Amino acid sequence: MDLNFTTAEEEFRLKIRRFLEENLPKSGLGAGREGREDKAWLEKSKAWQRKLYESGYVALAWPKEYGGQALDPVCQTIVNDEMVRANAPYLPGGSGLGMLGPTLISWGTEEQKRRYLPKILTGEEIWCQGYSEPGSGSDLASLRTRAEIIGDEFVVNGQKVWTSGAQHADMMFCLVRTDPDAPKHRGISYILIDMHSPGITVRPLVQMTGDKGFNEVFFDNVHVPRKNLVGKLNEGWIVANATLFHERNMLGSATGSEQRFNRLLALTKKIKRGGRALTEDAVFRQRLADLEIRVEAMRFHSLRQLTDQIRGRNPGVETMINKLVGTELNHDLATAAMEAMGDYSMLAREDASVLDHGYWPYEWMFSLGLVIGGGTSHIQKNIIAERGLKMPKSR
Amino acid sequence: MDLNFTTAEEEFRLKIRRFLEENLPKSGLGAGREGREDKAWLEKSKAWQRKLYESGYVALAWPKEYGGQALDPVCQTIVNDEMVRANAPYLPGGSGLGMLGPTLISWGTEEQKRRYLPKILTGEEIWCQGYSEPGSGSDLASLRTRAEIIGDEFVVNGQKVWTSGAQHADMMFCLVRTDPDAPKHRGISYILIDMHSPGITVRPLVQMTGDKGFNEVFFDNVHVPRKNLVGKLNEGWIVANATLFHERNMLGSATGSEQRFNRLLALTKKIKRGGRALTEDAVFRQRLADLEIRVEAMRFHSLRQLTDQIRGRNPGVETMINKLVGTELNHDLATAAMEAMGDYSMLAREDASVLDHGYWPYEWMFSLGLVIGGGTSHIQKNIIAERGLKMPKSR
Amino acid sequence: MDFGLSEEQRQLKASAREFLSAECAPSAVRKAMAAQEGRLAEVDREIAKLGWTGLIVPEKFGGAGLGILDVAVLLEEQGYAAMPGPFLFSSVLAAYAVARGGSDETGDKLLRPLAEGKAIGTIALAESGDSLAPRDFSTTAIADGTGARISGVKEFVPYASLADFMVVAARGDSGSADLFAVDSSAKGVRVEMLKNLDLTRRVGRVTFDQAAAIPLRREPALYPRLLDIGAVAIASDSLGGVERALDMAVDYSKVREQFGKPIGSFQALKHVAAEIVSEVEPARSLLWYAAYAQDARLADAPRFASMAKARLCDVYSRGTDRAVLMHGGIGFTWEHDIHLWFKRARFNESYFGSPALHRERVAQLGGY
Amino acid sequence: MDFGLSEEQRQLKASAREFLSAECAPSAVRKAMAAQEGRLAEVDREIAKLGWTGLIVPEKFGGAGLGILDVAVLLEEQGYAAMPGPFLFSSVLAAYAVARGGSDETGDKLLRPLAEGKAIGTIALAESGDSLAPRDFSTTAIADGTGARISGVKEFVPYASLADFMVVAARGDSGSADLFAVDSSAKGVRVEMLKNLDLTRRVGRVTFDQAAAIPLRREPALYPRLLDIGAVAIASDSLGGVERALDMAVDYSKVREQFGKPIGSFQALKHVAAEIVSEVEPARSLLWYAAYAQDARLADAPRFASMAKARLCDVYSRGTDRAVLMHGGIGFTWEHDIHLWFKRARFNESYFGSPALHRERVAQLGGY
């Protein structure tokens, strides 16, 4: 065990830190999760991703032949840490970078990798995920969007729902049913759909926050070339699970929690309770310390997993818990902030008197959305118990 | 809503209070739950129950013809409250009084009532419950102890387990399988077995507390007269549920929680933490207040159910929760006490330096036993959801 | 010994449930949410006809003269419906303060129209600090003949722009009252509305600049009692709210299917629902006692008001959080109604003090 | 950047698991529980041969000179086995204090036999009050030549009757040490054993009456470091303990059948198990860092020691409570082994300070 970074790594850290100081977009792009539905945000943040990529700070561990740098995952961790530290804006290409990219690297054809990966890196093509359907949430494998093979095309009909960022997306990685007669997990294929194809309608859904973050996507005879199949026909479920694995780790990422804890702490130092700062309140101190302990545990937990990854160890139960623990921790952090604010927690984020720039009311709700999305906590616990602890299946 | 007691009720309260002051056994019979395994305890507490009964303070609401006084349930509540207030010892006939008695009143034949109820009241006959079996815990209806009908007798073979007080018992109310071919809930009968019959072996089981509180009971061709059947042949499940209902309310009773909270409060006033009484510690005060609030809620909750009973309302979901909430609350109270004691919580109850007469280490463990016994919290939640909230069955 | 609602109270509850499910369904609530005033004028007219607005107004001022337990039953139903509008603040709290603290003349002037549904009152207590104690207020009252003049800024004043009069807490001269009635149209009263997270309610900031005020001093120590009534009132609303959230989640779990069966047949969802109801039912009993203790003026009434506020708000917040989760994705949408209660729980939790603050008060009043 | 156990540490762990599952199965632990000494003499002999007793003893005194992370790995396995005996107190804490605080002569005299398994040390820190701060001690040390004389009463001294020497914390004259080594056979040392709830351990009360003592002052501020090492050590034992409780509950859930299927196929049990492991794994990562921080002498090492103690003890207590429940009736019997860990969790939680105390310290050291 050695938590020291090499001199080269420390130099790299200083380099990205300096880069961020000098190049961080000055305004219009918050680090928060809100406001990501509008077009202006998209254009500005695409420009930001391109700049970041051109400077060598995007997906550093990806293979060189597809635009990556084949660096050690430690470098990527350093970049992530520094981005969070600098309050850098979210990248618009997140779904491509965090979910589809790693999936394609494992499962894509050479042609697919060459065609798609570079544009994920530059942010030139924005991706969205076509998984959930109105009747298929926790039971994802029951999905019914059909793709019939006609000639060398899939013809897709059906509907997806909860599609984050579909309004901005150029492409979708999508699960479709290609064999309706097979058992439900065996008739699914994983295909890549051009979102500009005729027959696609995107209709925004409004979140409880009042924002339009996700969408319904309708497919009416949408033609997709057969070469857009990832993995084998009818064997998309295994590819889908690779993507889910990456999604869940992304959602449960510890990187943001530390920043949120610091923000919570700064907030509570400013709030008065009974004439003293809330941080001097013995009861709230317990809560803060407990949250910080859990945040720190998750920080070390990701370093441990990073080390396992470098050592080539297959992820086990310690990785399956990330999504459950990480998203619940973030919701607990936001709930604590709401309670800390007292009556001020009743203000909407648009109010002029709202504390901490209205960060928390949105975060409080959105973090609960993430406890639900990508497999609710109930589903995560099933997975942990059945796959991680080998407890008997019940379904 | 009127929480005033009538003058007559207040007089009755003073009368029992005076009685308890004058007659409470001075020594050898603790109000705690421990020490109930030995013979000396049995004899002394039987004498105590007889005295209490002869003075008119046992099972006041039971019908007159069987030795009761047919009084309002309020009087029984007053007696219970005063017994707790005076730290009066547990009655040895508890299973008869709390579980079998009410069941027989509803389901017994006239002959059974006349034969058994009076001796339950006097404590002359001590009862135990023959429900659980080694293979049948949560899934009680899968029980396998067989009773064959030969002539006008049942011949019983099999084994029961977790039988509290079997070593003292004169009689057992017992579930046996009388039709092995019927669906599991339909082949069970409810019979009354003389524990002094040939073929019965009682073997003590030791609890994690180190005490012998419950037993295994083996039946080897035990003969039971057919007239000892309660309810109809093969329809014992419904009678069993009546008893379970009474058991669960008894286990979840709020009466003891208030006393335990007061004891916890008195304890924490004496404990120093950082130079001050633990009751002045802001963090522990939160815990105490939260516990007291839950205790008070359960106190009012039982008054509400008592009122419903007087009004003749059928119990609903508010009654199904008693066992779950009451037993978990008691365990939380004991856990708080253990934490309050700090290092002193590591002492066994026999140690001379143990705090509060060693009440809490035993209570901490025993209260967890009660979270398990009579249907674990998991089973209680199933019942609440399925019967109380009408959620669909899953089995 | 009788621990339960009276026949009249049960009828009131049943008729309120019936009325609100017809007139104040979520679709109606959403209309109020979208409207600037944040209430349903029609419903407010109807409830005046039903006699709700005057429920606790003394008979001599045209009300029904009922008690806190009666109003708790009604507030529970309003919480169940997430009924928007000023009722709790106007017809319960402002009405209570004026009825107990005002002269007959003041009562006649303010409460008669309030009972008839022709006027609205509100309460202006909180300031930008977290304390509700008069000694910590920056708002002051200076005697002016038989009346007073009030100056200061009050925050989170419910429905401030709708209110015809306000019951204002202020730091007075020694021996003076803590509470004052102020006509909203008086000179020196300025209202600025805030933006609420819980859109079933509206709050505003009110600035008083030497505004003319009537001291409410008929009953001594009225202000702490008003805070206790407020705690019980919010607790009642919370009881109804968590009940509704549970009902919605349970109902949804019976119809939504996954893995070929209703999600309510999965043990995980059953257990969450069972845990919620196991918190709700004892809390209901606690609330009844807290309301009864106010009516019976028991010595421990303040302590039980704090118990009810702490417990019910905890149960409401935790219950709605879990109810959203039980819904899955649909629960996170604007379109689904569960977020109305989820946000209302947050309002209730902070208003009149957090659960932690009330637990500390339970400890203090309990002598530990 | 390398955040994980080294190859050697993993081998140590695996061999400890193997050795303890053979030599220190629950049946063996029960023998120690029933015996007055509360340990397995044979196992203690074996672990000396394996080099465990001298693991952190410096090489110059015959030990292996390894670090806290190494010992944490071993303590985890001992916690997994609920290994009885003085190891944690003798070979970790007493050894650490003497190695860092004693002169070479003292080290030679006390640590060499300890490393060889021929002598046992213990720590005598706590008193009847709850404070572990020297200023609050009633036990005092008075200088006596190059040595000192100690008087006072120490409580909860692990394996006091077995120990050949004790590391005693006392209030000294200004400038003096806080820690002293005392020979148990010295005049003025009296031991009285207490009765433990957790029978896998023994504690006693030790009265010192002008007992001759050697100050351990070579390293300044050794005493607070010893407390931190104690916190990390107990946290390590707790990690292993909760792991074992979970393993037992999960294993049982796979074989015990109810309703015609293994109880582990019920979602309620799965979710409880999943919740436990979701607490355990990040806590393990936290513990590794806390131990590493001690070895690397990082500035934040004390803070992370408190984090590990608070978290692991919470997780252990909660985990064993739930693991008992997962077992149903059998879990409440003496015959079943789960209660060994259930009670050991209670010991761990209080020893060296409660989770609440350590959280407060986390806040203090974190500057809030």
Side-chain angles (χ1 to χ4, degrees):
Chain A
M1 185 122 155
D2 177 6
L3 289 190
N4 294 313
F5 290 89
T6 63
T7 312
E9 286 163 350
E10 288 295 357
E11 276 167 8
F12 179 74
R13 182 187 293 281
L14 290 176
K15 207 177 117 213
I16 164 97
R17 190 174 294 179
R18 213 156 33 231
F19 171 83
L20 289 172
E21 277 163 15
E22 287 162 13
N23 292 283
L24 212 58
K26 288 292 169 276
S27 69
L29 280 180
R33 286 159 157 167
E34 73 284 2
R36 282 189 272 163
E37 70 264 36
D38 82 30
K39 271 284 173 211
W41 174 85
L42 180 68
E43 290 316 316
K44 273 191 264 184
S45 61
K46 276 172 104 162
W48 164 239
Q49 180 170 337
R50 172 168 280 278
K51 184 170 205 175
L52 208 61
Y53 172 70
E54 284 167 356
S55 312
Y57 298 123
V58 173
L60 299 88
W62 287 20
K64 285 192 181 164
E65 53 270 47
Y66 314 121
Q69 301 174 59
L71 290 175
D72 195 293
V74 173
C75 293
Q76 184 64 58
T77 302
I78 292 173
V79 170
N80 295 348
D81 286 351
E82 292 299 318
M83 299 267 278
V84 164
R85 189 175 176 279
N87 247 323
Y90 278 72
L91 298 184
S95 298
L97 289 168
M99 289 152 67
L100 179 67
T103 307
L104 271 191
I105 290 171
S106 306
W107 290 93
T109 62
E110 188 57 30
E111 189 193 343
Q112 286 168 345
K113 294 184 203 179
R114 294 202 178 275
R115 162 68 187 81
Y116 297 114
L117 293 177
K119 291 188 177 177
I120 288 176
L121 293 171
T122 57
E124 218 172 318
E125 273 178 3
I126 302 297
W127 287 80
C128 64
Q129 179 186 40
Y131 271 37
S132 297
E133 300 185 4
S136 307
S138 292
D139 182 13
L140 180 59
S142 70
L143 58 90
R144 289 199 261 176
T145 293
R146 276 284 279 130
E148 280 178 284
I149 299 175
I150 298 176
D152 59 354
E153 289 186 325
F154 295 100
V155 179
V156 182
N157 282 285
Q159 185 197 341
K160 295 289 173 182
V161 76
W162 318 130
T163 317
S164 303
Q167 75 276 36
H168 299 326
D170 302 296
M171 294 292 298
M172 170 188 274
F173 48 99
C174 184
L175 298 180
V176 290
R177 186 156 302 281
T178 39
D179 182 356
D181 302 321
K184 65 180 180 180
H185 293 86
R186 303 225 186 107
I188 293 170
S189 298
Y190 188 113
I191 64 173
L192 310 176
I193 302 180
D194 184 337
M195 288 293 284
H196 308 297
S197 312
I200 293 184
T201 314
V202 174
R203 189 187 293 165
L205 276 171
V206 184
Q207 301 171 178
M208 65 153 75
T209 60
D211 302 76
K212 292 179 199 137
F214 39 55
N215 306 271
E216 296 175 292
V217 180
F218 299 87
F219 302 94
D220 180 13
N221 283 317
V222 175
H223 291 250
V224 177
R226 232 186 124 145
K227 65 175 182 192
N228 284 17
L229 175 72
V230 183
K232 292 195 188 145
L233 189 70
N234 295 329
E235 294 181 15
W237 187 246
I238 188 166
V239 187
N241 269 304
T243 307
L244 279 177
F245 174 84
H246 297 298
E247 178 181 18
R248 285 168 183 166
N249 281 325
M250 200 169 75
L251 294 175
S253 157
T255 326
S257 304
E258 215 186 333
Q259 186 196 24
R260 275 181 208 107
F261 174 78
N262 291 335
R263 189 162 187 158
L264 166 65
L265 184 60
L267 171 76
T268 44
K269 280 181 178 163
K270 280 186 227 145
I271 291 173
K272 293 266 186 251
R273 187 72 43 91
R276 298 174 308 175
L278 186 53
T279 39
E280 290 173 40
D281 177 273
V283 177
F284 209 82
R285 286 165 75 78
Q286 286 286 318
R287 181 126 179 222
L288 285 170
D290 184 57
L291 287 166
E292 188 181 7
I293 292 168
R294 290 161 60 200
V295 166
E296 290 296 271
M298 282 307 278
R299 179 161 74 93
F300 299 127
H301 198 57
S302 28
L303 291 179
R304 174 178 151 201
Q305 292 174 74
L306 176 65
T307 299
D308 281 343
Q309 192 189 335
I310 295 167
R311 291 180 182 181
R313 220 184 132 219
N314 281 333
V317 69
E318 74 287 345
T319 299
M320 294 174 200
I321 65 165
N322 287 344
K323 199 265 168 180
L324 174 71
V325 177
T327 56
E328 295 199 340
L329 177 55
N330 282 336
H331 187 53
D332 288 350
L333 285 164
T335 303
M338 292 297 272
E339 291 177 22
M341 293 192 291
D343 279 344
Y344 283 87
S345 72
M346 71 173 71
L347 297 179
R349 70 172 190 267
E350 302 82 13
D351 193 89
S353 306
V354 74
L355 301 183
D356 204 4
H357 312 285
Y359 176 80
W360 294 106
Y362 186 90
E363 176 62 24
W364 171 62
M365 292 183 274
F366 197 81
S367 60
L368 183 57
L370 291 185
V371 170
I372 297 170
T376 66
S377 287
H378 296 147
I379 292 296
Q380 298 306 320
K381 289 178 194 173
N382 289 347
I383 292 172
I384 294 164
E386 292 175 8
R387 295 191 210 157
L389 303 174
K390 315 288 182 214
M391 290 172 82
K393 294 228 176 204
S394 37
R395 276 170 231 134
Chain B
M1 186 124 156
D2 177 7
L3 289 190
N4 294 312
F5 290 89
T6 63
T7 312
E9 286 163 350
E10 288 295 358
E11 278 168 8
F12 179 74
R13 182 186 294 280
L14 290 177
K15 208 175 116 212
I16 165 100
R17 189 174 295 178
R18 213 155 34 228
F19 172 84
L20 289 172
E21 278 163 14
E22 288 163 12
N23 293 283
L24 213 57
K26 288 293 170 279
S27 68
L29 280 181
R33 287 160 158 167
E34 73 285 3
R36 281 188 273 161
E37 71 263 36
D38 82 30
K39 271 283 173 209
W41 174 84
L42 181 68
E43 291 315 316
K44 273 192 261 182
S45 62
K46 275 172 104 163
W48 164 240
Q49 180 170 337
R50 172 168 281 277
K51 184 172 205 171
L52 209 61
Y53 172 69
E54 283 167 358
S55 311
Y57 298 122
V58 173
L60 298 89
W62 287 20
K64 286 191 180 166
E65 53 270 48
Y66 313 121
Q69 302 174 58
L71 290 175
D72 196 292
V74 173
C75 291
Q76 184 64 57
T77 302
I78 291 172
V79 170
N80 295 348
D81 285 352
E82 292 299 318
M83 298 265 279
V84 164
R85 189 177 176 278
N87 249 322
Y90 278 72
L91 297 184
S95 298
L97 289 169
M99 289 152 68
L100 179 68
T103 307
L104 272 191
I105 290 172
S106 306
W107 290 93
T109 61
E110 188 57 29
E111 191 193 340
Q112 287 167 344
K113 294 185 203 177
R114 294 202 178 271
R115 162 68 187 81
Y116 297 113
L117 294 177
K119 291 188 175 175
I120 288 176
L121 292 172
T122 57
E124 217 171 318
E125 272 178 2
I126 302 297
W127 287 81
C128 65
Q129 180 186 40
Y131 272 37
S132 296
E133 299 184 6
S136 307
S138 291
D139 183 12
L140 180 59
S142 70
L143 59 91
R144 288 197 261 174
T145 293
R146 277 281 282 130
E148 280 177 284
I149 298 176
I150 298 176
D152 57 355
E153 288 185 327
F154 294 99
V155 178
V156 181
N157 282 286
Q159 186 197 342
K160 295 290 173 182
V161 76
W162 319 129
T163 317
S164 302
Q167 75 276 35
H168 299 325
D170 303 296
M171 295 290 300
M172 170 188 274
F173 47 99
C174 184
L175 298 181
V176 290
R177 186 155 304 282
T178 38
D179 182 355
D181 303 322
K184 65 180 179 180
H185 294 87
R186 301 224 188 107
I188 293 170
S189 298
Y190 189 112
I191 64 173
L192 310 177
I193 303 180
D194 184 335
M195 289 294 284
H196 308 298
S197 312
I200 293 184
T201 312
V202 174
R203 189 186 295 163
L205 278 170
V206 184
Q207 301 171 179
M208 65 154 74
T209 60
D211 303 76
K212 293 179 200 139
F214 40 55
N215 304 273
E216 296 177 291
V217 180
F218 299 87
F219 302 93
D220 179 13
N221 284 317
V222 175
H223 291 251
V224 178
R226 228 183 129 149
K227 66 177 182 191
N228 284 17
L229 175 72
V230 183
K232 292 195 189 147
L233 188 72
N234 296 327
E235 293 182 15
W237 187 246
I238 187 166
V239 187
N241 269 302
T243 306
L244 280 176
F245 174 84
H246 296 298
E247 178 182 18
R248 284 165 183 167
N249 281 326
M250 200 170 75
L251 294 175
S253 156
T255 327
S257 304
E258 214 185 335
Q259 186 196 23
R260 279 183 204 105
F261 175 78
N262 290 335
R263 190 162 187 158
L264 166 65
L265 184 60
L267 171 75
T268 44
K269 279 181 179 165
K270 280 185 226 144
I271 291 173
K272 293 269 185 248
R273 188 73 43 93
R276 297 175 308 175
L278 186 53
T279 38
E280 289 172 41
D281 177 274
V283 177
F284 209 82
R285 287 166 75 78
Q286 286 286 317
R287 180 124 179 225
L288 286 170
D290 185 56
L291 286 167
E292 187 181 8
I293 292 169
R294 289 161 61 201
V295 166
E296 289 296 89
M298 282 307 278
R299 180 162 71 95
F300 298 129
H301 198 56
S302 28
L303 291 179
R304 174 178 150 202
Q305 292 173 75
L306 175 65
T307 299
D308 281 344
Q309 192 189 335
I310 295 168
R311 290 180 182 181
R313 224 185 128 215
N314 281 332
V317 70
E318 74 287 345
T319 299
M320 295 174 199
I321 65 165
N322 288 343
K323 200 265 166 181
L324 173 71
V325 177
T327 56
E328 296 199 338
L329 177 55
N330 282 336
H331 187 53
D332 288 350
L333 285 163
T335 303
M338 292 297 272
E339 292 178 21
M341 293 191 291
D343 280 344
Y344 282 88
S345 71
M346 71 174 71
L347 297 179
R349 70 173 190 266
E350 301 82 14
D351 192 89
S353 305
V354 73
L355 301 183
D356 205 2
H357 312 285
Y359 177 81
W360 294 106
Y362 186 90
E363 175 63 23
W364 172 63
M365 292 182 274
F366 196 82
S367 60
L368 183 58
L370 291 185
V371 170
I372 296 169
T376 67
S377 287
H378 296 146
I379 293 295
Q380 298 306 320
K381 288 177 194 173
N382 288 348
I383 293 172
I384 294 164
E386 292 175 6
R387 296 191 210 156
L389 302 174
K390 314 287 181 216
M391 289 172 82
K393 295 227 174 203
S394 37
R395 274 169 233 136
Chain C
M1 212 297 302
D2 178 66
F3 193 96
L5 301 184
S6 66
E7 189 49 38
E8 294 73 27
Q9 285 159 343
R10 279 187 288 166
Q11 276 172 15
L12 176 64
K13 192 169 189 316
S15 71
R17 174 74 57 109
E18 195 182 352
F19 171 76
L20 291 170
S21 59
E23 305 301 322
C24 193
S27 55
V29 175
R30 284 171 181 271
K31 272 185 216 154
M33 286 163 62
Q36 211 197 334
E37 281 194 345
R39 63 139 170 189
L40 294 163
E42 251 181 64
V43 167
D44 284 357
R45 267 195 298 278
E46 285 300 313
I47 65 175
K49 283 188 205 152
L50 290 170
W52 292 7
T53 44
L55 203 73
I56 63 158
V57 170
E59 295 178 44
K60 62 180 170 181
F61 304 129
L66 294 182
I68 299 302
L69 183 56
D70 303 290
V71 90
V73 162
L74 200 53
L75 287 172
E76 180 194 338
E77 290 305 317
Q78 296 184 6
Y80 190 87
M83 184 180 120
F87 183 89
L88 187 153
F89 312 99
S90 172
S91 290
V92 181
L93 300 179
Y96 186 89
V98 173
R100 301 289 185 138
S103 63
D104 279 3
E105 191 194 334
T106 308
D108 241 346
K109 188 182 145 206
L110 299 179
L111 295 185
R112 200 168 288 279
L114 183 149
E116 288 169 1
K118 291 178 185 152
I120 289 168
T122 190
I123 49 163
L125 313 180
E127 300 191 354
S128 61
D130 68 308
S131 170
L132 287 170
R135 65 173 179 283
D136 295 326
F137 284 150
S138 60
T139 299
T140 53
I142 292 165
D144 180 23
T146 58
R149 298 237 163 231
I150 286 192
S151 298
V153 182
K154 290 287 175 183
E155 298 282 351
F156 311 113
V157 179
Y159 294 90
S161 63
L162 276 185
D164 297 288
F165 72 92
M166 300 177 180
V167 171
V168 186
R171 182 154 49 85
D173 313 327
S174 71
S176 156
D178 304 318
L179 287 174
F180 302 83
V182 176
D183 187 323
S184 305
S185 60
K187 197 163 160 274
V189 178
R190 192 158 49 80
V191 170
E192 169 197 0
M193 291 309 285
L194 302 169
K195 295 193 179 73
N196 242 37
L197 182 63
D198 165 18
L199 290 175
T200 67
R201 271 133 173 189
R202 294 290 182 278
V203 295
R205 176 181 296 126
V206 184
T207 308
F208 299 94
D209 181 8
Q210 307 231 23
I214 304 165
L216 300 175
R217 72 174 118 221
R218 203 164 54 87
E219 175 170 310
L222 175 60
Y223 177 57
R225 261 183 83 75
L226 180 65
L227 292 180
D228 287 338
I229 302 285
V232 173
I234 291 282
S236 308
D237 185 273
S238 301
L239 172 62
V242 66
E243 233 180 300
R244 179 62 170 269
L246 176 63
D247 281 358
M248 288 175 77
V250 167
D251 288 348
Y252 183 70
S253 83
K254 291 174 185 171
V255 296
R256 167 75 174 173
E257 298 205 350
Q258 289 287 276
F259 304 103
K261 45 187 180 179
I263 58 173
S265 67
F266 288 96
Q267 217 183 12
L269 255 70
K270 280 187 208 178
H271 283 204
V272 174
E275 286 159 15
I276 299 174
V277 76
S278 298
E279 293 188 346
V280 169
E281 289 305 324
R284 179 195 306 282
S285 307
L286 176 66
L287 174 74
W288 285 356
Y289 182 79
Y292 163 80
Q294 290 294 334
D295 286 330
R297 300 205 153 222
L298 301 184
D300 57 8
R303 189 155 191 258
F304 282 93
S306 279
M307 285 196 183
K309 175 73 170 73
R311 187 67 183 163
L312 269 304
C313 287
D314 268 351
V315 170
Y316 194 10
S317 292
R318 220 174 9 236
T320 45
D321 212 277
R322 290 184 284 191
V324 170
L325 188 57
M326 285 176 73
H327 278 84
I330 192 83
F332 186 59
T333 60
W334 183 268
E335 174 196 355
H336 196 279
D337 298 318
I338 187 75
H339 71 96
L340 276 56
W341 286 269
F342 179 67
K343 294 170 186 170
R344 190 155 163 137
R346 174 65 36 212
F347 181 102
N348 284 10
E349 186 174 319
S350 74
Y351 214 80
F352 289 115
S354 69
L357 182 144
H358 282 281
R359 277 192 293 270
E360 174 57 32
R361 188 165 177 251
V362 166
Q364 274 171 28
L365 297 176
Y368 53 92
Chain D
M1 211 298 302
D2 179 64
F3 193 96
L5 300 184
S6 67
E7 188 48 38
E8 295 73 26
Q9 285 159 343
R10 278 186 290 164
Q11 276 170 12
L12 177 63
K13 193 170 190 312
S15 70
R17 173 75 56 111
E18 199 182 349
F19 170 75
L20 291 169
S21 59
E23 304 302 322
C24 194
S27 55
V29 175
R30 283 173 182 270
K31 272 185 218 154
M33 286 163 61
Q36 211 197 334
E37 281 193 345
R39 63 140 169 188
L40 294 165
E42 252 183 64
V43 168
D44 283 357
R45 267 194 299 277
E46 286 299 314
I47 66 176
K49 285 189 205 150
L50 291 170
W52 293 5
T53 44
L55 203 74
I56 64 160
V57 170
E59 295 177 44
K60 61 179 169 181
F61 304 129
L66 294 182
I68 299 302
L69 182 55
D70 303 291
V71 91
V73 162
L74 200 53
L75 287 172
E76 180 194 337
E77 289 306 317
Q78 296 185 6
Y80 190 86
M83 184 180 120
F87 183 90
L88 188 151
F89 313 100
S90 173
S91 290
V92 182
L93 300 179
Y96 186 89
V98 173
R100 301 291 184 135
S103 64
D104 280 1
E105 190 195 334
T106 308
D108 242 345
K109 186 182 146 207
L110 299 179
L111 294 185
R112 199 167 288 278
L114 184 149
E116 289 169 3
K118 291 180 188 151
I120 289 168
T122 190
I123 48 162
L125 313 180
E127 301 190 353
S128 61
D130 68 307
S131 171
L132 287 171
R135 66 172 178 283
D136 296 326
F137 284 150
S138 60
T139 299
T140 53
I142 293 164
D144 178 23
T146 58
R149 299 240 163 227
I150 286 193
S151 299
V153 183
K154 290 287 174 183
E155 299 281 350
F156 312 112
V157 179
Y159 294 88
S161 63
L162 275 185
D164 298 287
F165 71 91
M166 301 179 180
V167 171
V168 185
R171 183 153 48 85
D173 314 327
S174 70
S176 158
D178 304 318
L179 287 175
F180 303 83
V182 176
D183 188 322
S184 304
S185 60
K187 195 164 162 272
V189 177
R190 191 158 49 81
V191 169
E192 169 197 0
M193 292 309 287
L194 302 170
K195 296 193 178 74
N196 242 37
L197 182 63
D198 166 19
L199 290 176
T200 67
R201 273 136 172 186
R202 294 290 181 277
V203 295
R205 176 180 296 126
V206 185
T207 308
F208 300 93
D209 180 9
Q210 306 229 28
I214 305 165
L216 301 175
R217 72 174 118 221
R218 201 165 54 86
E219 174 171 312
L222 175 61
Y223 178 57
R225 261 184 81 77
L226 180 66
L227 292 181
D228 287 339
I229 302 285
V232 172
I234 290 283
S236 308
D237 185 273
S238 300
L239 171 62
V242 65
E243 233 180 302
R244 178 63 169 268
L246 176 63
D247 280 359
M248 289 175 76
V250 167
D251 288 347
Y252 183 70
S253 82
K254 291 174 186 171
V255 296
R256 167 75 173 172
E257 298 204 351
Q258 289 287 276
F259 305 104
K261 45 187 180 179
I263 59 172
S265 67
F266 288 96
Q267 216 183 13
L269 255 70
K270 281 188 206 177
H271 283 204
V272 174
E275 285 159 15
I276 298 175
V277 77
S278 298
E279 292 188 345
V280 169
E281 289 305 324
R284 178 195 307 281
S285 308
L286 175 66
L287 175 74
W288 285 356
Y289 183 80
Y292 163 82
Q294 290 293 335
D295 286 330
R297 299 205 155 223
L298 301 183
D300 57 9
R303 190 156 189 257
F304 282 93
S306 279
M307 284 195 184
K309 174 73 170 74
R311 186 67 183 163
L312 268 304
C313 288
D314 267 351
V315 170
Y316 194 11
S317 292
R318 219 173 12 235
T320 45
D321 211 277
R322 289 184 285 191
V324 170
L325 188 57
M326 284 176 73
H327 279 84
I330 192 80
F332 185 59
T333 60
W334 184 266
E335 174 196 353
H336 196 278
D337 298 318
I338 187 76
H339 71 96
L340 276 54
W341 286 268
F342 179 67
K343 293 169 186 171
R344 191 157 164 134
R346 173 66 36 213
F347 181 103
N348 284 10
E349 186 174 320
S350 73
Y351 213 81
F352 288 115
S354 69
L357 183 144
H358 283 280
R359 277 191 293 270
E360 173 57 31
R361 188 164 177 252
V362 166
Q364 273 171 29
L365 297 176
Y368 53 92

